[in-house]
Amino acid sequence: MSRPVRLAVRGLLLFENHLLLVNAWPGGTSDLLCAPGGGVEPHSSLEDNLKREFHEETGLGISVGAPCLVNEFHDPARDYHQVDVYFRVSLISGQPLQPWSDPEGIVTERRLVSRAQMDGLRYKPDSLPEIAWSETIYYDPLEPVLR
């Protein structure tokens, strides 16, 4: 029997025209970067889940704006399929590069990245720069999981 599709939320925070990204691999085992966020808990709104996950990974308080991207990741070899809903977010408390430790020990790095710097990084989803620095709303189907 297949595992159910996992639902996650992520936030795109532009701070001084730099996008906040995290390395969400325990122990820093990968250099792959992504937007802060994580799995949705049942019986809690997407907005509340994003505020909780964003704070856990960054220590920042945010307000949640409009959705801007739906992205699917999958790994058929592991029977894994995740749908991420991305929202534009605004900073309401904290400093993006303040010292912070993820209480779950998953995020090992936070980084503010300019649009030009994205070219030299590994990140997911592939559409991230296009979405972050535009007003585009986008659907990005079935991207393979990378490590």
Side-chain angles (χ1 to χ4, degrees), residues 84-138:
D84 287 346
V85 180
Y86 287 73
F87 293 84
R88 298 192 191 286
V89 302
S90 299
L91 183 65
I92 59 171
S93 66
Q95 291 296 318
L97 295 180
Q98 69 191 8
W100 182 256
S101 180
D102 178 353
E104 293 185 5
I106 296 171
V107 170
T108 57
E109 177 186 4
R110 289 175 303 166
R111 190 186 294 192
L112 284 172
V113 178
S114 71
R115 176 75 164 98
Q117 291 170 320
M118 294 291 290
D119 291 340
L121 300 173
R122 283 185 358 113
Y123 55 83
K124 278 295 180 184
D126 294 341
S127 59
L128 191 56
E130 177 185 344
I131 302 304
W133 279 278
S134 73
E135 295 300 314
T136 305
I137 298 173
Y138 195 72

CSV table of all heavy atoms in Angstrom, one decimal, residues 84-138:
chain,number,residue,atom,x,y,z
A,84,ASP,N,4.2,20.8,-1.7
A,84,ASP,CA,4.6,22.0,-1.0
A,84,ASP,C,3.7,23.2,-1.5
A,84,ASP,O,3.7,23.4,-2.7
A,84,ASP,CB,6.1,22.4,-1.2
A,84,ASP,CG,7.0,21.5,-0.5
A,84,ASP,OD1,6.6,20.7,0.4
A,84,ASP,OD2,8.2,21.6,-0.8
A,85,VAL,N,3.1,23.9,-0.6
A,85,VAL,CA,2.4,25.2,-0.9
A,85,VAL,C,3.3,26.3,-0.4
A,85,VAL,O,3.6,26.4,0.8
A,85,VAL,CB,1.0,25.2,-0.3
A,85,VAL,CG1,0.3,26.5,-0.7
A,85,VAL,CG2,0.2,24.0,-0.7
A,86,TYR,N,3.8,27.2,-1.2
A,86,TYR,CA,4.6,28.3,-0.9
A,86,TYR,C,3.8,29.6,-0.8
A,86,TYR,O,2.9,29.8,-1.6
A,86,TYR,CB,5.7,28.5,-2.0
A,86,TYR,CG,6.8,27.5,-2.0
A,86,TYR,CD1,6.5,26.2,-2.5
A,86,TYR,CD2,8.0,27.8,-1.6
A,86,TYR,CE1,7.6,25.3,-2.5
A,86,TYR,CE2,9.1,26.9,-1.6
A,86,TYR,CZ,8.8,25.6,-2.1
A,86,TYR,OH,9.8,24.7,-2.1
A,87,PHE,N,4.1,30.3,0.3
A,87,PHE,CA,3.4,31.6,0.5
A,87,PHE,C,4.5,32.7,0.6
A,87,PHE,O,5.6,32.5,1.0
A,87,PHE,CB,2.7,31.6,1.9
A,87,PHE,CG,1.5,30.7,1.9
A,87,PHE,CD1,1.7,29.3,2.2
A,87,PHE,CD2,0.2,31.1,1.7
A,87,PHE,CE1,0.6,28.4,2.2
A,87,PHE,CE2,-0.8,30.2,1.7
A,87,PHE,CZ,-0.6,28.9,2.0
A,88,ARG,N,4.1,33.9,0.2
A,88,ARG,CA,4.9,35.1,0.4
A,88,ARG,C,4.7,35.5,1.9
A,88,ARG,O,3.6,35.4,2.4
A,88,ARG,CB,4.5,36.2,-0.5
A,88,ARG,CG,4.7,35.9,-2.0
A,88,ARG,CD,4.6,37.0,-2.9
A,88,ARG,NE,4.6,36.6,-4.3
A,88,ARG,CZ,5.6,36.1,-5.0
A,88,ARG,NH1,6.8,36.0,-4.4
A,88,ARG,NH2,5.4,35.7,-6.2
A,89,VAL,N,5.8,35.8,2.5
A,89,VAL,CA,5.7,36.1,4.0
A,89,VAL,C,6.4,37.4,4.2
A,89,VAL,O,7.3,37.8,3.5
A,89,VAL,CB,6.3,35.0,4.9
A,89,VAL,CG1,5.5,33.7,4.7
A,89,VAL,CG2,7.8,34.8,4.7
A,90,SER,N,6.1,38.1,5.3
A,90,SER,CA,6.7,39.4,5.7
A,90,SER,C,7.2,39.2,7.1
A,90,SER,O,6.6,38.5,8.0
A,90,SER,CB,5.7,40.5,5.7
A,90,SER,OG,5.2,40.7,4.4
A,91,LEU,N,8.4,39.8,7.4
A,91,LEU,CA,9.0,39.7,8.7
A,91,LEU,C,8.2,40.6,9.7
A,91,LEU,O,8.0,41.8,9.4
A,91,LEU,CB,10.4,40.2,8.6
A,91,LEU,CG,11.3,40.1,9.8
A,91,LEU,CD1,11.5,38.7,10.3
A,91,LEU,CD2,12.6,40.8,9.6
A,92,ILE,N,7.9,40.1,10.9
A,92,ILE,CA,7.3,40.9,11.9
A,92,ILE,C,8.1,41.0,13.2
A,92,ILE,O,7.9,41.9,14.0
A,92,ILE,CB,5.8,40.5,12.2
A,92,ILE,CG1,5.7,39.1,12.7
A,92,ILE,CG2,4.9,40.8,11.0
A,92,ILE,CD1,4.3,38.7,13.2
A,93,SER,N,9.0,40.0,13.4
A,93,SER,CA,9.9,40.0,14.6
A,93,SER,C,11.1,39.2,14.3
A,93,SER,O,11.1,38.2,13.6
A,93,SER,CB,9.1,39.5,15.8
A,93,SER,OG,8.8,38.1,15.7
A,94,GLY,N,12.2,39.7,14.9
A,94,GLY,CA,13.5,39.0,14.8
A,94,GLY,C,14.4,39.6,13.7
A,94,GLY,O,13.9,40.4,12.9
A,95,GLN,N,15.6,39.1,13.6
A,95,GLN,CA,16.5,39.4,12.6
A,95,GLN,C,16.9,38.2,11.8
A,95,GLN,O,17.2,37.1,12.4
A,95,GLN,CB,17.8,40.1,13.2
A,95,GLN,CG,17.5,41.4,13.8
A,95,GLN,CD,17.1,42.4,12.7
A,95,GLN,OE1,17.7,42.4,11.6
A,95,GLN,NE2,16.1,43.2,13.0
A,96,PRO,N,16.9,38.2,10.5
A,96,PRO,CA,17.1,37.0,9.7
A,96,PRO,C,18.4,36.2,10.0
A,96,PRO,O,18.4,35.0,9.9
A,96,PRO,CB,17.1,37.5,8.3
A,96,PRO,CG,16.2,38.7,8.3
A,96,PRO,CD,16.5,39.3,9.6
A,97,LEU,N,19.4,36.9,10.4
A,97,LEU,CA,20.7,36.1,10.6
A,97,LEU,C,21.1,36.1,12.1
A,97,LEU,O,22.2,35.9,12.4
A,97,LEU,CB,21.8,36.7,9.8
A,97,LEU,CG,21.6,36.5,8.3
A,97,LEU,CD1,22.7,37.0,7.4
A,97,LEU,CD2,21.4,35.0,7.9
A,98,GLN,N,20.1,36.4,13.0
A,98,GLN,CA,20.3,36.3,14.4
A,98,GLN,C,20.8,34.9,14.8
A,98,GLN,O,20.4,33.9,14.1
A,98,GLN,CB,19.1,36.7,15.2
A,98,GLN,CG,18.0,35.7,15.1
A,98,GLN,CD,16.7,36.1,15.7
A,98,GLN,OE1,16.5,37.3,16.0
A,98,GLN,NE2,15.7,35.2,15.7
A,99,PRO,N,21.6,34.7,15.8
A,99,PRO,CA,21.9,33.3,16.2
A,99,PRO,C,20.6,32.6,16.6
A,99,PRO,O,19.7,33.1,17.2
A,99,PRO,CB,22.7,33.5,17.5
A,99,PRO,CG,23.3,34.9,17.4
A,99,PRO,CD,22.2,35.7,16.6
A,100,TRP,N,20.5,31.3,16.0
A,100,TRP,CA,19.3,30.5,16.3
A,100,TRP,C,19.7,29.1,16.1
A,100,TRP,O,20.5,28.7,15.3
A,100,TRP,CB,18.2,30.9,15.3
A,100,TRP,CG,17.0,30.1,15.5
A,100,TRP,CD1,16.5,29.0,14.8
A,100,TRP,CD2,16.0,30.3,16.5
A,100,TRP,NE1,15.3,28.6,15.3
A,100,TRP,CE2,15.0,29.3,16.4
A,100,TRP,CE3,15.9,31.2,17.6
A,100,TRP,CZ2,13.9,29.2,17.2
A,100,TRP,CZ3,14.8,31.1,18.4
A,100,TRP,CH2,13.9,30.1,18.3
A,101,SER,N,19.1,28.2,16.9
A,101,SER,CA,19.3,26.8,16.8
A,101,SER,C,17.9,26.1,16.6
A,101,SER,O,17.0,26.3,17.5
A,101,SER,CB,20.0,26.3,18.0
A,101,SER,OG,20.2,24.9,17.9
A,102,ASP,N,17.7,25.4,15.5
A,102,ASP,CA,16.5,24.7,15.3
A,102,ASP,C,16.3,23.7,16.4
A,102,ASP,O,17.1,22.8,16.7
A,102,ASP,CB,16.6,24.0,13.9
A,102,ASP,CG,15.4,23.2,13.6
A,102,ASP,OD1,14.5,23.0,14.4
A,102,ASP,OD2,15.4,22.7,12.4
A,103,PRO,N,15.1,23.8,17.1
A,103,PRO,CA,14.9,22.9,18.3
A,103,PRO,C,14.8,21.4,17.8
A,103,PRO,O,15.1,20.5,18.6
A,103,PRO,CB,13.6,23.3,18.9
A,103,PRO,CG,13.0,24.2,17.9
A,103,PRO,CD,14.0,24.7,17.0
A,104,GLU,N,14.5,21.1,16.6
A,104,GLU,CA,14.5,19.8,16.1
A,104,GLU,C,15.8,19.3,15.5
A,104,GLU,O,16.0,18.2,15.1
A,104,GLU,CB,13.4,19.6,15.0
A,104,GLU,CG,12.0,19.7,15.6
A,104,GLU,CD,10.9,19.5,14.6
A,104,GLU,OE1,11.2,19.1,13.5
A,104,GLU,OE2,9.7,19.7,15.0
A,105,GLY,N,16.8,20.3,15.4
A,105,GLY,CA,18.1,19.9,14.9
A,105,GLY,C,18.2,19.6,13.4
A,105,GLY,O,19.2,19.0,13.0
A,106,ILE,N,17.2,20.1,12.7
A,106,ILE,CA,17.2,19.8,11.2
A,106,ILE,C,17.9,20.8,10.4
A,106,ILE,O,18.8,20.6,9.6
A,106,ILE,CB,15.8,19.5,10.7
A,106,ILE,CG1,15.2,18.3,11.4
A,106,ILE,CG2,15.8,19.4,9.2
A,106,ILE,CD1,13.7,18.1,11.2
A,107,VAL,N,17.6,22.1,10.7
A,107,VAL,CA,18.2,23.2,9.9
A,107,VAL,C,19.6,23.4,10.5
A,107,VAL,O,19.8,23.6,11.7
A,107,VAL,CB,17.4,24.5,10.0
A,107,VAL,CG1,18.1,25.7,9.5
A,107,VAL,CG2,16.1,24.3,9.2
A,108,THR,N,20.6,23.4,9.6
A,108,THR,CA,22.0,23.6,10.0
A,108,THR,C,22.6,24.9,9.6
A,108,THR,O,23.7,25.3,10.0
A,108,THR,CB,22.9,22.4,9.5
A,108,THR,OG1,22.7,22.4,8.1
A,108,THR,CG2,22.4,21.1,10.1
A,109,GLU,N,21.9,25.6,8.7
A,109,GLU,CA,22.4,26.8,8.1
A,109,GLU,C,21.2,27.7,7.6
A,109,GLU,O,20.2,27.2,7.1
A,109,GLU,CB,23.3,26.5,6.9
A,109,GLU,CG,23.8,27.7,6.2
A,109,GLU,CD,24.6,27.4,4.9
A,109,GLU,OE1,24.7,26.2,4.5
A,109,GLU,OE2,25.1,28.4,4.3
A,110,ARG,N,21.4,29.0,7.8
A,110,ARG,CA,20.4,30.0,7.2
A,110,ARG,C,21.3,30.9,6.4
A,110,ARG,O,22.4,31.3,6.8
A,110,ARG,CB,19.7,30.7,8.3
A,110,ARG,CG,18.7,29.9,9.0
A,110,ARG,CD,18.0,30.7,10.2
A,110,ARG,NE,19.1,31.1,11.1
A,110,ARG,CZ,19.0,32.0,12.0
A,110,ARG,NH1,17.8,32.6,12.2
A,110,ARG,NH2,20.0,32.4,12.8
A,111,ARG,N,20.7,31.4,5.3
A,111,ARG,CA,21.5,32.2,4.4
A,111,ARG,C,20.6,33.2,3.7
A,111,ARG,O,19.5,32.8,3.3
A,111,ARG,CB,22.2,31.3,3.4
A,111,ARG,CG,23.2,32.0,2.6
A,111,ARG,CD,23.7,31.1,1.5
A,111,ARG,NE,24.5,30.0,2.0
A,111,ARG,CZ,25.2,29.2,1.2
A,111,ARG,NH1,25.3,29.4,-0.1
A,111,ARG,NH2,25.9,28.2,1.7
A,112,LEU,N,21.0,34.5,3.6
A,112,LEU,CA,20.3,35.5,2.8
A,112,LEU,C,21.0,35.5,1.5
A,112,LEU,O,22.3,35.7,1.4
A,112,LEU,CB,20.3,36.8,3.5
A,112,LEU,CG,19.4,37.1,4.6
A,112,LEU,CD1,19.6,38.4,5.3
A,112,LEU,CD2,17.9,37.0,4.2
A,113,VAL,N,20.3,35.3,0.4
A,113,VAL,CA,20.9,35.1,-0.9
A,113,VAL,C,20.3,36.1,-1.9
A,113,VAL,O,19.0,36.3,-2.0
A,113,VAL,CB,20.6,33.7,-1.4
A,113,VAL,CG1,21.2,33.5,-2.8
A,113,VAL,CG2,21.2,32.7,-0.4
A,114,SER,N,21.1,36.8,-2.7
A,114,SER,CA,20.6,37.7,-3.7
A,114,SER,C,20.2,36.9,-4.9
A,114,SER,O,20.6,35.7,-5.1
A,114,SER,CB,21.7,38.7,-4.1
A,114,SER,OG,22.8,38.0,-4.9
A,115,ARG,N,19.5,37.5,-5.9
A,115,ARG,CA,19.1,36.8,-7.1
A,115,ARG,C,20.3,36.3,-7.9
A,115,ARG,O,20.3,35.2,-8.4
A,115,ARG,CB,18.2,37.8,-7.9
A,115,ARG,CG,17.8,37.2,-9.3
A,115,ARG,CD,16.7,36.2,-9.1
A,115,ARG,NE,16.0,36.0,-10.3
A,115,ARG,CZ,16.2,34.9,-11.1
A,115,ARG,NH1,17.1,34.0,-10.8
A,115,ARG,NH2,15.5,34.7,-12.2
A,116,ALA,N,21.3,37.1,-7.9
A,116,ALA,CA,22.6,36.8,-8.7
A,116,ALA,C,23.3,35.6,-8.0
A,116,ALA,O,23.8,34.7,-8.7
A,116,ALA,CB,23.5,38.0,-8.8
A,117,GLN,N,23.3,35.5,-6.7
A,117,GLN,CA,23.9,34.4,-6.0
A,117,GLN,C,23.2,33.1,-6.2
A,117,GLN,O,23.9,32.0,-6.0
A,117,GLN,CB,24.0,34.7,-4.5
A,117,GLN,CG,25.0,35.8,-4.2
A,117,GLN,CD,24.9,36.3,-2.8
A,117,GLN,OE1,23.8,36.4,-2.2
A,117,GLN,NE2,26.0,36.6,-2.2
A,118,MET,N,22.0,33.1,-6.6
A,118,MET,CA,21.2,31.8,-6.8
A,118,MET,C,21.9,30.9,-7.8
A,118,MET,O,21.9,29.7,-7.7
A,118,MET,CB,19.8,32.1,-7.1
A,118,MET,CG,18.9,32.7,-6.1
A,118,MET,SD,18.6,31.7,-4.6
A,118,MET,CE,17.5,30.5,-5.3
A,119,ASP,N,22.5,31.5,-8.8
A,119,ASP,CA,23.2,30.8,-9.9
A,119,ASP,C,24.3,29.8,-9.4
A,119,ASP,O,24.5,28.8,-10.0
A,119,ASP,CB,23.8,31.7,-11.0
A,119,ASP,CG,22.7,32.4,-11.7
A,119,ASP,OD1,21.5,31.9,-11.8
A,119,ASP,OD2,23.0,33.5,-12.3
A,120,GLY,N,24.9,30.2,-8.3
A,120,GLY,CA,26.0,29.3,-7.8
A,120,GLY,C,25.6,28.4,-6.7
A,120,GLY,O,26.5,27.8,-6.1
A,121,LEU,N,24.3,28.2,-6.5
A,121,LEU,CA,23.8,27.3,-5.4
A,121,LEU,C,23.0,26.2,-5.9
A,121,LEU,O,22.4,26.2,-6.9
A,121,LEU,CB,23.0,28.2,-4.4
A,121,LEU,CG,23.7,29.4,-3.8
A,121,LEU,CD1,22.7,30.2,-3.0
A,121,LEU,CD2,24.8,28.9,-2.8
A,122,ARG,N,22.9,25.2,-5.0
A,122,ARG,CA,21.9,24.1,-5.2
A,122,ARG,C,20.7,24.4,-4.4
A,122,ARG,O,20.9,24.6,-3.2
A,122,ARG,CB,22.5,22.7,-4.8
A,122,ARG,CG,23.5,22.2,-5.8
A,122,ARG,CD,24.0,20.8,-5.5
A,122,ARG,NE,23.6,20.1,-4.3
A,122,ARG,CZ,22.8,19.0,-4.3
A,122,ARG,NH1,22.4,18.5,-5.4
A,122,ARG,NH2,22.5,18.5,-3.1
A,123,TYR,N,19.6,24.3,-5.0
A,123,TYR,CA,18.3,24.6,-4.3
A,123,TYR,C,17.2,23.9,-5.0
A,123,TYR,O,17.3,23.5,-6.1
A,123,TYR,CB,18.0,26.2,-4.3
A,123,TYR,CG,18.0,26.8,-5.6
A,123,TYR,CD1,16.9,26.7,-6.4
A,123,TYR,CD2,19.2,27.4,-6.2
A,123,TYR,CE1,16.9,27.3,-7.7
A,123,TYR,CE2,19.2,27.9,-7.4
A,123,TYR,CZ,18.0,27.8,-8.2
A,123,TYR,OH,18.0,28.4,-9.5
A,124,LYS,N,16.1,23.8,-4.2
A,124,LYS,CA,14.8,23.3,-4.8
A,124,LYS,C,13.7,24.1,-4.3
A,124,LYS,O,13.8,24.7,-3.2
A,124,LYS,CB,14.6,21.8,-4.3
A,124,LYS,CG,15.4,20.8,-5.1
A,124,LYS,CD,14.9,20.8,-6.5
A,124,LYS,CE,15.6,19.8,-7.4
A,124,LYS,NZ,15.2,19.8,-8.8
A,125,PRO,N,12.7,24.3,-5.0
A,125,PRO,CA,12.5,23.8,-6.4
A,125,PRO,C,13.2,24.6,-7.4
A,125,PRO,O,13.7,25.7,-7.1
A,125,PRO,CB,10.9,23.9,-6.5
A,125,PRO,CG,10.6,25.1,-5.7
A,125,PRO,CD,11.5,25.0,-4.5
A,126,ASP,N,13.3,24.1,-8.6
A,126,ASP,CA,14.0,24.8,-9.7
A,126,ASP,C,13.5,26.1,-10.0
A,126,ASP,O,14.2,27.0,-10.4
A,126,ASP,CB,14.0,23.9,-10.9
A,126,ASP,CG,14.7,22.6,-10.8
A,126,ASP,OD1,15.6,22.5,-9.9
A,126,ASP,OD2,14.5,21.7,-11.6
A,127,SER,N,12.2,26.3,-9.7
A,127,SER,CA,11.5,27.6,-10.1
A,127,SER,C,11.7,28.7,-9.0
A,127,SER,O,11.2,29.8,-9.1
A,127,SER,CB,10.0,27.4,-10.3
A,127,SER,OG,9.4,26.8,-9.2
A,128,LEU,N,12.4,28.4,-7.9
A,128,LEU,CA,12.5,29.2,-6.7
A,128,LEU,C,12.9,30.7,-7.1
A,128,LEU,O,12.2,31.6,-6.6
A,128,LEU,CB,13.4,28.6,-5.7
A,128,LEU,CG,13.4,29.3,-4.3
A,128,LEU,CD1,12.0,29.3,-3.7
A,128,LEU,CD2,14.4,28.5,-3.4
A,129,PRO,N,14.0,30.9,-7.8
A,129,PRO,CA,14.3,32.3,-8.1
A,129,PRO,C,13.2,33.1,-8.9
A,129,PRO,O,12.9,34.2,-8.6
A,129,PRO,CB,15.6,32.3,-8.9
A,129,PRO,CG,16.1,30.9,-8.6
A,129,PRO,CD,14.9,30.0,-8.4
A,130,GLU,N,12.7,32.4,-9.9
A,130,GLU,CA,11.6,33.1,-10.7
A,130,GLU,C,10.4,33.5,-9.8
A,130,GLU,O,9.9,34.6,-10.0
A,130,GLU,CB,11.2,32.1,-11.8
A,130,GLU,CG,10.0,32.7,-12.6
A,130,GLU,CD,9.5,31.7,-13.6
A,130,GLU,OE1,10.2,30.6,-13.9
A,130,GLU,OE2,8.4,31.9,-14.2
A,131,ILE,N,10.0,32.6,-8.9
A,131,ILE,CA,8.9,32.9,-8.1
A,131,ILE,C,9.2,34.0,-7.0
A,131,ILE,O,8.5,34.9,-6.8
A,131,ILE,CB,8.4,31.6,-7.3
A,131,ILE,CG1,8.1,30.5,-8.4
A,131,ILE,CG2,7.3,31.9,-6.4
A,131,ILE,CD1,7.0,31.0,-9.4
A,132,ALA,N,10.4,33.9,-6.4
A,132,ALA,CA,10.7,34.7,-5.3
A,132,ALA,C,10.8,36.2,-5.7
A,132,ALA,O,10.4,37.1,-4.9
A,132,ALA,CB,12.0,34.3,-4.6
A,133,TRP,N,11.4,36.4,-6.9
A,133,TRP,CA,11.6,37.8,-7.3
A,133,TRP,C,10.6,38.3,-8.3
A,133,TRP,O,10.9,39.1,-9.2
A,133,TRP,CB,13.0,38.0,-7.8
A,133,TRP,CG,14.0,38.2,-6.7
A,133,TRP,CD1,14.3,39.3,-6.0
A,133,TRP,CD2,14.8,37.2,-6.1
A,133,TRP,NE1,15.2,39.1,-5.0
A,133,TRP,CE2,15.5,37.8,-5.1
A,133,TRP,CE3,15.0,35.8,-6.3
A,133,TRP,CZ2,16.5,37.1,-4.3
A,133,TRP,CZ3,15.9,35.1,-5.5
A,133,TRP,CH2,16.6,35.8,-4.5
A,134,SER,N,9.4,37.7,-8.3
A,134,SER,CA,8.3,38.2,-9.2
A,134,SER,C,7.0,38.1,-8.5
A,134,SER,O,6.9,37.7,-7.4
A,134,SER,CB,8.3,37.3,-10.5
A,134,SER,OG,7.8,36.0,-10.1
A,135,GLU,N,6.0,38.5,-9.2
A,135,GLU,CA,4.6,38.4,-8.7
A,135,GLU,C,3.9,37.2,-9.3
A,135,GLU,O,2.7,37.0,-9.2
A,135,GLU,CB,3.8,39.6,-9.0
A,135,GLU,CG,4.4,40.9,-8.3
A,135,GLU,CD,4.4,40.7,-6.8
A,135,GLU,OE1,3.4,40.3,-6.2
A,135,GLU,OE2,5.4,41.1,-6.2
A,136,THR,N,4.7,36.3,-9.9
A,136,THR,CA,4.2,35.1,-10.5
A,136,THR,C,3.5,34.1,-9.5
A,136,THR,O,4.0,34.0,-8.4
A,136,THR,CB,5.3,34.3,-11.2
A,136,THR,OG1,6.0,35.2,-12.1
A,136,THR,CG2,4.8,33.1,-12.0
A,137,ILE,N,2.4,33.5,-10.0
A,137,ILE,CA,1.8,32.4,-9.3
A,137,ILE,C,2.0,31.2,-10.2
A,137,ILE,O,1.8,31.2,-11.4
A,137,ILE,CB,0.3,32.6,-9.0
A,137,ILE,CG1,0.1,33.8,-8.1
A,137,ILE,CG2,-0.3,31.4,-8.4
A,137,ILE,CD1,-1.3,34.3,-8.0
A,138,TYR,N,2.5,30.1,-9.6
A,138,TYR,CA,3.0,29.0,-10.4
A,138,TYR,C,2.7,27.7,-9.9
A,138,TYR,O,2.6,27.5,-8.7
A,138,TYR,CB,4.6,29.2,-10.5
A,138,TYR,CG,5.2,28.4,-11.6
A,138,TYR,CD1,5.1,28.8,-12.9
A,138,TYR,CD2,6.1,27.3,-11.3
A,138,TYR,CE1,5.8,28.1,-13.9
A,138,TYR,CE2,6.7,26.6,-12.3
A,138,TYR,CZ,6.6,27.0,-13.6
A,138,TYR,OH,7.2,26.3,-14.6
